[in-house]
């Protein structure tokens, strides 16, 4: 059985790695020392809403490409795909390694 271009084994590997990182981040309360985002996060919230809307519309309309379809030509080369994977894992490690406690204010 295949899901898109992923075999069942690849899907399990990707899904279990993502789940493990999410569990570690939640268990360690990663990033709880970060200051509240406030209004600075509104542009990011707008981008997130636009991406989610794009994906939902592309699921409903088979003729509209998903973001994965648009990224496939860029990530077709194995070295580029490997570099993107290492970058993605690095960002995840950075998010998990963020301080757990707020520094003392003087």
């Amino acid at each position: 059985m295949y899901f898109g271009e992923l075999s069942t084994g690849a899907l399990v590997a990707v899904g279990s790695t993502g789940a493990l990182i999410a569990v570690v981040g939640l268990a360690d309360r990663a990033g709880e020392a970060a200051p509240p985002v406030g209004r600075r996060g509104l542009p990011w919230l707008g981008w997130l809403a636009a991406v989610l809307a794009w994906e939902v519309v592309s699921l409903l309309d088979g003729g509209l490409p998903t973001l994965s379809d648009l990224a496939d030509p860029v990530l077709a080369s194995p070295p580029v795909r490997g570099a993107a994977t290492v970058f993605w894992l690095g960002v995840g490690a950075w998010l998990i390694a963020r301080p757990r406690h707020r520094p003392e204010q003087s």
Side-chain angles (χ1 to χ4, degrees):
M1 175 179 261
Y2 288 90
F3 298 89
E5 292 184 16
L6 292 180
S7 65
T8 303
L11 183 66
V12 168
V14 169
S16 60
T17 302
L20 176 66
I21 289 173
V23 166
V24 169
L26 290 172
D28 286 347
R29 299 178 60 120
E32 77 177 6
V37 175
R39 293 180 152 231
R40 296 177 307 161
L42 289 177
W44 290 104
L45 185 60
W47 278 108
L48 178 63
V51 167
L52 288 174
W54 180 282
E55 290 295 318
V56 168
V57 170
S58 67
L59 284 173
L60 298 175
D61 177 14
L64 186 66
T66 64
L67 294 175
S68 296
D69 293 335
L70 296 174
D72 277 346
V74 175
L75 298 173
S77 167
V80 174
R81 188 175 292 239
T85 301
V86 168
F87 174 76
W88 188 256
L89 291 173
V91 168
W94 172 76
L95 286 171
I96 289 175
R98 292 172 64 190
R100 295 183 192 163
H101 304 289
R102 292 181 188 243
E104 296 298 323
Q105 301 290 328
S106 32

